[in-house]
Amino acid sequence: MKSTALKVENISKSYLIGKISSGTLSRDIESKLTNWFSKKSDEVALNKNEKVWSLKDINFELKQGEALGIIGKNGAGKSTLLKILSRVTTPTKGNIYGTGRIASLLEVGTGFHPELSGRENIFLNGAILGMKKHEIKKNFDEIVDFSGVESYIDTPVKRYSSGMYVRLAFAVAAHLESEILIVDEVLAVGDADFQKKCLGKMGSISKGEGRTVLFVSHNMQSIQNLCTKALLLNKGTMQGFGEVPKMIGEYLQNNDVLVPLNERVDRKGDGKVKVLGITFIDGLTLLPTNNFYVGMDLIIEVNLQSKKFNLNTNFELSLGISDQFGMRISLVSNKISGQKISPLENGIWSQKIKLKKLPLIMGKYSITIFLASGGNIHDWLTDAFIIHIESDKYFGELSYTLPIGQGSVYTDFQFI
Amino acid sequence: MLKTAKQDWVIKSKSNWLNIDFISAWEYKDLFILFIKRDFVAFYKQTILGPLWFFLQPIITMFVFAFVFGKIGNISTNNLPKPLFYLPGIICWNYFAECILKNSTVFRDNANLFSKVYFPRIILPMSIVFSSMVRFFIQQFLFVIILIIYSFNGFKTHINATILLLPVLLILMAALGQGIGLIISSLTTKYRDLALLVNFGVQLLMFSTTVAYPLSAAPQNFKFWIALNPMTTILETFRYSFLGQGQFSVSALIYTSILTLVIFLLGIILFSKVEKDFIDTI
């Protein structure tokens, strides 16, 4: 019987939406004083604002060496839970008990300084993540070896390519000697080879070295490969905790219920251009549709609203298409096609995009929308829409569908 | 409750009024040293003249002061050579002001770091005070060299026993700068407008401190108010210890120490209150 590594007890976290404070110092002091003298508790004063629970009554226990996958939709409270476990923020209610050092990787390369060399950054980043100097020294050669940037180790990291940067950052993180490791979706970076290497390393950390790992990902395949248990979150509550395949099944089942766009609180960006909605149009009939099938011509109309958009910058509209496992299948973007979009400075406008002969196999896909210009993100909605693509014959009546296991996209080929 | 004996740590929702964990802060001493090193190395790597700036900045300021206050304003320097009078004030003020300014933006400057990884937050503002101290020592060295040059040319230095108070003065400046800076930084996470006042306030504060004039030259009815400023005591004692000029009094030093301690503790308490969930409000 292995000992308990982590016990989470009734963890809840609330945020106040609306006014956090009146914004001016004098008025805040005034209201504090009146509350104080009239013997009202803080609770009463806070209730004037709306309290939103982003996590409610989370309970679970992990044994040493177990790997927990945390799954759930955007806004389910995954990141909040990770932040509380990493001690970046405090829970509103509940306690967490643990044994051994805890280290978290919510981002790779936290605290890297561009002016410092790779060597100096290994020490700095390692220390930020909680390593002692002698531990970093002991692992130094291994870290450099893992990252594959030996020849640039004394070059300032600002001259590194983004790939080298990420590799070095992950290499440091992978050599943390903590008993509990918390990992956010940092693996979504780097090239495929390196991702494989990282996943391998993660596997050996939990399986081989007997350390406890908590892992958040949208990628169900890596959850399945790495984790021994899964925690399913839904709107801040625990929907399930237990066997991985069962939890993944449950997650995929009610993955369809999407939060309406205007109620999403996890939108990123400055809002100078915002997505109002999306209309799917059948390319053949030119009528709005909610039926999708393999090989169809699909027109996506994105309805947008601009507020003080700077017309001098190049507008980027990207749609990321991911499969039901969270794997990104493709990106539809005017940045790739090299086309220019002319947005409005102010007002409501729309942009149509035509997808010729939809090459995706039957299944469920989610669409992420990303708007940016001149390096500024305007709106970023992960998994904004979900579409079900029905089976059909890509090459027409006399053709056949792609056999199962033989790939997930059609190639528009012809025998000549 | 977890019943195993091996339980090492607890994350609680409730916390005490002073919840800085000094024991775990000590565990992170390597990071503390690396932060100091980073600040220092990163500063001179980004400049053309490098560490030379440490010398140029006080010397140029000294010339400006000598011209504006000494020549045009005709403000007394207690019969001291102008460089010797102005330099200690400038050097000490620079250090003090840097402690305030850098500490006052510590949450904003490190929001990304704080939102991604945990370490005892207090070591970051502490490291700022120490990395600025490196610069202070270098500039202090410059002052000593100039003092030696002057004494070779016949200036009598009047170095006396109060020079032993120098470490105390340095600690007072550091604690005062840290305290004020932390109070401002803790309030600015909620009230952004305070941040705008900081630069302005530090500048005003300089004129109420005896940086560019001796306390003895201040008008009689203002003297009391200028002496209330804790930095005035520190500067006057500093000048007194090297140059024998200025006002040294034990009671003023005790007053300054108590005030500094109060401000420092207030800063630390406010900081510890804000640090645990400021991530939710930015």
Side-chain angles (χ1 to χ4, degrees), chain A residues 6-50:
Chain A
L6 188 73
K7 184 178 165 124
V8 172
E9 215 176 60
N10 290 323
I11 285 295
S12 303
K13 173 86 185 171
S14 68
Y15 290 95
L16 295 175
I17 56 169
K19 279 187 195 164
I20 286 174
S21 79
S22 60
T24 60
L25 188 54
S26 61
R27 194 149 336 140
D28 260 21
I29 292 171
E30 198 183 306
S31 70
K32 266 264 156 76
L33 282 178
T34 36
N35 279 327
W36 199 29
F37 284 120
S38 57
K39 303 247 158 123
K40 277 185 208 158
S41 66
D42 261 5
E43 203 80 18
V44 180
L46 290 177
N47 275 343
K48 281 182 211 154
N49 297 314
E50 210 179 332

Side-chain angles (χ1 to χ4, degrees), chain A residues 3-4 6-7 9 13 15 21 23-25 28 83-100 102 104 106-107 110-111 113 115-116 120 123-124 127-130 132-133 180, chain B residues 1-2 4 6-14 21 24 27-31 33-35 37-38 41-42 45-46 112-119 121 187 190-194 275-277 279-281:
Chain A
S3 62
T4 302
L6 188 73
K7 184 178 165 124
E9 215 176 60
K13 173 86 185 171
Y15 290 95
S21 79
T24 60
L25 188 54
D28 260 21
K83 277 187 176 169
I84 291 172
L85 287 166
S86 330
R87 299 176 71 180
V88 162
T89 183
T90 48
T92 316
K93 280 184 191 161
N95 295 322
I96 300 168
Y97 306 91
T99 311
I102 187 161
S104 63
L106 303 189
E107 181 189 69
T110 310
H113 196 290
E115 294 291 339
L116 301 182
E120 289 165 320
F123 280 95
L124 182 62
I128 287 176
L129 293 172
K132 300 254 166 55
K133 203 173 172 183
I180 304 171
Chain B
M1 277 286 176
L2 187 69
T4 55
K6 267 187 75 191
Q7 166 209 323
D8 280 3
W9 47 263
V10 185
I11 299 175
K12 284 190 206 148
S13 51
K14 302 271 185 307
D21 189 354
S24 64
E27 294 274 296
Y28 277 80
K29 56 187 182 300
D30 290 339
L31 179 61
I33 291 161
L34 281 165
F35 272 141
K37 209 174 136 192
R38 173 196 70 176
V41 173
K45 270 195 180 170
Q46 280 166 321
N112 186 46
L113 195 56
F114 283 0
S115 70
K116 294 297 180 198
V117 65
Y118 172 79
F119 53 85
R121 304 304 190 212
L187 294 176
K190 233 175 156 186
Y191 309 101
R192 291 293 164 94
D193 44 354
L194 279 179
E275 58 121 1
K276 63 189 167 69
D277 51 12
I279 283 304
D280 302 339
T281 54

Side-chain angles (χ1 to χ4, degrees), chain B:
Chain B
M1 277 286 176
L2 187 69
K3 290 291 191 293
T4 55
K6 267 187 75 191
Q7 166 209 323
D8 280 3
W9 47 263
V10 185
I11 299 175
K12 284 190 206 148
S13 51
K14 302 271 185 307
S15 58
N16 312 329
W17 57 277
L18 178 62
N19 68 337
I20 291 190
D21 189 354
F22 287 101
I23 297 162
S24 64
W26 177 248
E27 294 274 296
Y28 277 80
K29 56 187 182 300
D30 290 339
L31 179 61
F32 175 74
I33 291 161
L34 281 165
F35 272 141
I36 297 175
K37 209 174 136 192
R38 173 196 70 176
D39 286 350
F40 193 72
V41 173
F43 175 78
Y44 80 75
K45 270 195 180 170
Q46 280 166 321
T47 55
I48 306 169
L49 296 174
L52 210 59
W53 276 116
F54 294 132
F55 295 113
L56 280 180
Q57 193 264 350
I59 287 178
I60 293 169
T61 317
M62 191 251 318
F63 277 117
V64 172
F65 275 21
F67 181 70
V68 176
F69 298 107
K71 270 265 170 351
I72 301 176
N74 229 347
I75 296 170
S76 133
T77 56
N78 273 355
N79 300 323
L80 290 171
K82 287 193 173 67
L84 292 186
F85 178 81
Y86 290 121
L87 263 182
I90 293 167
I91 292 167
C92 289
W93 187 261
N94 270 348
Y95 174 61
F96 174 66
E98 191 171 280
C99 286
I100 293 187
L101 293 177
K102 281 199 175 160
N103 267 306
S104 71
T105 54
V106 71
F107 281 117
R108 210 178 48 205
D109 295 346
N110 297 288
N112 186 46
L113 195 56
F114 283 0
S115 70
K116 294 297 180 198
V117 65
Y118 172 79
F119 53 85
R121 304 304 190 212
I122 193 69
I123 66 171
L124 198 58
M126 291 266 183
S127 77
I128 291 172
V129 170
F130 281 88
S131 64
S132 305
M133 214 179 265
V134 176
R135 187 167 101 168
F136 174 79
F137 282 130
I138 294 172
Q139 296 183 343
Q140 189 57 35
F141 177 67
L142 168 80
F143 171 66
V144 172
I145 288 175
I146 293 179
L147 192 64
I148 290 169
I149 294 170
Y150 266 93
S151 67
F152 271 122
N153 292 326
F155 174 74
K156 218 170 156 333
T157 54
H158 298 288
I159 292 177
N160 52 59
T162 50
I163 205 157
L164 295 173
L165 284 171
L166 279 189
V168 178
L169 296 181
L170 183 58
I171 291 169
L172 285 177
M173 276 194 289
L176 194 61
Q178 173 119 64
I180 297 175
L182 286 184
I183 292 171
I184 298 168
S185 73
S186 304
L187 294 176
T188 43
T189 57
K190 233 175 156 186
Y191 309 101
R192 291 293 164 94
D193 44 354
L194 279 179
L196 303 170
L197 283 175
V198 182
N199 271 305
F200 179 58
V202 168
Q203 236 169 49
L204 285 187
L205 205 57
M206 190 189 87
F207 289 108
S208 72
T209 311
T210 52
V211 176
Y213 54 88
L215 186 57
S216 55
Q220 204 55 43
N221 47 343
F222 284 108
K223 229 177 221 173
F224 173 73
W225 299 106
I226 292 172
L228 268 189
N229 180 342
M231 270 307 281
T232 298
T233 315
I234 294 170
L235 281 189
E236 289 293 312
T237 313
F238 197 93
R239 283 204 188 103
Y240 182 79
S241 64
F242 277 101
L243 309 166
Q245 293 282 350
Q247 294 185 357
F248 170 70
S249 94
V250 178
S251 58
L253 212 55
I254 290 171
Y255 155 76
T256 302
S257 307
I258 293 171
L259 186 64
T260 302
L261 187 68
V262 170
I263 292 176
F264 178 72
L265 287 179
L266 188 65
I268 297 276
I269 291 168
L270 275 177
F271 180 82
S272 73
K273 266 202 141 357
V274 171
E275 58 121 1
K276 63 189 167 69
D277 51 12
F278 98 100
I279 283 304
D280 302 339
T281 54
I282 51 161

Side-chain angles (χ1 to χ4, degrees), chain A residues 145-210:
Chain A
D145 199 43
F146 188 86
S147 69
V149 298
E150 297 93 330
S151 27
Y152 302 96
I153 200 66
D154 288 311
T155 312
V157 295
K158 67 176 175 186
R159 299 199 210 291
Y160 280 28
S161 72
S162 57
M164 285 161 65
Y165 186 94
V166 166
R167 286 207 300 273
L168 183 67
F170 188 85
V172 180
H175 291 83
L176 279 171
E177 292 191 343
S178 65
E179 282 77 22
I180 304 171
L181 187 65
I182 300 175
V183 187
D184 202 352
E185 280 181 293
V186 283
L187 297 173
V189 289
D191 51 37
D193 271 355
F194 190 69
Q195 276 188 26
K196 232 186 205 165
K197 205 168 159 185
C198 295
L199 283 169
K201 181 77 192 171
M202 293 264 311
S204 73
I205 284 174
S206 65
K207 285 173 193 143
E209 300 168 28

